[in-house]
Amino acid sequence: MGHARLTASTLPPVRGTLKADAPLAPLVWFKAGGTAQWLFEPKDADDLSDFMAMLDPAMPVMALGLGSNLIVRDGGVPGVVVRLGKPFAKVEALDATTLRCGGGASGILVSSTARDAGIAGLEFLRSIPGTVGGFVRMNGGAYGRETADILVECDLVLRSGEQVTLLNSDLHYSYRHSNLTDGAVVVSATFRGEPGEPAGIQAEMDRIATAREESQPLRSKTGGSTFKNPDGHKAWALVDEAGCRGLALGGAQVSDKHTNFLLNTGDATSSDIESLGEEVRRRVKEKSGVELEWEIQRVGRK
Ligand SMILES: Cc1cc2nc3c(=O)[nH]c(=O)nc-3n(C[C@H](O)[C@H](O)[C@H](O)COP(=O)(O)OP(=O)(O)OC[C@H]3O[C@@H](n4cnc5c(N)ncnc54)[C@H](O)[C@@H]3O)c2cc1C
């Protein structure tokens, strides 16, 4: 690819870090896939905003959280991948029910800060291994709650560099979906819960963590739920009925423990993982007539 020959001097100046041809496999849960043409870790929202405003509008931009819902294809991601590091990982209570969270903060940090502040209703974030930016974009949810239930507003840097604040209603949330535009990066969000007792909140977090441990392959190289639950169906049950439990292709396998999870059992390429997912979709369609829709985001070149 010609892109490796570009140098940072061809891009706008930054105060954070900018790397060419940066491997993404170590940064995503599947531990597979190619490089980012550019990987940018901004120092703060203004750094990101200035960079985006000056960047050639033809350059695609994509945000990366913990890569817990992502297949990065083997040919790598053209353009700029924005990763929100430490400067975006803070969480603080604003009052008795609301928290201000950096876009790069983890679900564990958000839920434990909520507990310490006596804010209930955010316990479910304890079990979703992503960042605030990923939750806001994906409408992440678990145990009957989702981001749409707790989001007040979020601050974004748009691909144009413009900084805007959107309200919950602006995102038009539906199941695992928001209408955030491509290239928009969530730099912070305000979540609202309700007053609660830290001990009770902790007990709910423990209950959720235990339920998780029993039902999902948490210590594996995976991307979480592969397919959305179609109306009136559970994706895992359709996959199971189609005989795909344990099905393998190259280094990729359908989990035995939770059939809506795909695993990298060692040295899978992203092509193995995505092809296995497509084979599962084909078999489910043949067996039950239902067309599964990917929940995992697939990005980059094959
Ligand atoms: C073991 C396991 C269990 C899981 N369980 C659940 C679950 O119960 N419920 C659930 O909903 N999900 C679950 N997931 C999936 C995943 O954790 C969520 O989708 C999460 O919201 C992804 O967050 P992330 O920050 O890692 O995003 P990534 O995986 O890095 O990215 C996902 C998408 O979000 C975008 N994105 C990331 N950060 C930003 C940002 N700052 N601004 C704008 N867009 C951004 C990316 O561009 C991409 O389109 C699970 C995953 C794993 C591995």
Side-chain angles (χ1 to χ4, degrees):
M1 292 289 125
H3 69 236
R5 287 193 301 276
L6 287 172
T7 65
S9 63
T10 60
L11 292 184
V14 299
R15 287 181 284 116
T17 60
L18 188 60
K19 285 186 212 134
D21 257 336
L24 292 176
L27 304 181
V28 302
W29 267 64
F30 270 124
K31 299 286 174 269
T35 59
Q37 184 179 357
W38 298 98
L39 180 65
F40 178 30
E41 295 202 7
K43 187 132 194 172
D44 51 39
D46 288 341
D47 191 22
L48 179 59
S49 159
D50 293 346
F51 175 83
M52 300 259 251
M54 289 170 72
L55 185 67
D56 177 352
M59 261 289 195
V61 172
M62 179 201 121
L64 173 68
L66 293 177
S68 56
N69 208 215
L70 206 61
I71 293 174
V72 172
R73 294 191 176 114
D74 301 311
V77 180
V80 181
V81 172
V82 175
R83 189 158 181 264
L84 302 181
K86 275 234 176 70
F88 297 87
K90 295 188 196 87
V91 179
E92 55 175 355
L94 293 179
D95 56 39
T97 56
T98 50
L99 288 174
R100 181 105 189 121
C101 311
S106 70
I108 291 195
L109 181 63
V110 175
S111 54
S112 51
T113 309
R115 174 203 58 211
D116 295 346
I119 300 174
L122 278 60
E123 297 87 349
F124 71 101
L125 292 178
R126 160 71 181 78
S127 63
I128 314 180
T131 65
V132 166
F135 303 148
V136 171
R137 176 177 289 272
M138 302 294 300
N139 191 15
Y143 301 98
R145 308 261 300 160
E146 56 184 15
T147 306
D149 299 326
I150 59 168
L151 183 80
V152 179
E153 59 180 34
C154 61
D155 294 331
L156 303 170
V157 176
L158 303 181
R159 176 60 188 83
S160 61
E162 194 188 346
Q163 300 194 40
V164 297
T165 300
L166 295 186
L167 301 176
N168 184 317
S169 56
D170 297 326
L171 295 170
H172 296 279
Y173 274 129
S174 57
Y175 173 62
R176 301 294 174 265
H177 182 78
S178 70
N179 70 350
L180 275 191
T181 51
D182 281 350
V185 180
V186 177
V187 290
S188 63
T190 305
F191 292 146
R192 179 175 291 140
E194 65 239 29
E197 280 302 317
I201 296 169
Q202 181 63 51
E204 177 63 2
M205 285 165 66
D206 290 346
R207 188 187 71 78
I208 285 174
T210 307
R212 267 299 140 123
E213 194 69 41
E214 283 164 5
S215 63
Q216 293 185 356
L218 297 181
R219 269 168 286 281
S220 308
K221 296 182 236 174
T222 179
S225 292
T226 310
F227 304 109
K228 298 183 184 188
N229 287 324
D231 279 342
H233 295 277
K234 291 280 178 203
W236 72 264
L238 294 170
V239 174
D240 211 7
E241 281 157 28
C244 297
R245 183 178 288 263
L247 184 70
L249 194 161
Q253 192 177 17
V254 176
S255 166
D256 277 324
K257 194 167 181 181
H258 191 309
T259 49
N260 198 22
F261 277 49
L262 299 179
L263 307 176
N264 172 359
T265 57
D267 55 0
T269 60
S270 286
S271 164
D272 292 341
I273 299 165
E274 188 171 4
S275 304
L276 178 61
E278 288 299 338
E279 177 59 16
V280 169
R281 288 184 71 227
R282 196 188 63 74
R283 292 191 186 197
V284 166
K285 177 84 203 305
E286 199 173 84
K287 174 76 183 171
S288 61
V290 178
E291 283 212 40
L292 289 176
E293 198 187 323
W294 283 91
E295 177 174 325
I296 291 180
Q297 307 288 301
R298 288 145 304 133
V299 298
R301 300 190 181 100
K302 287 198 179 171

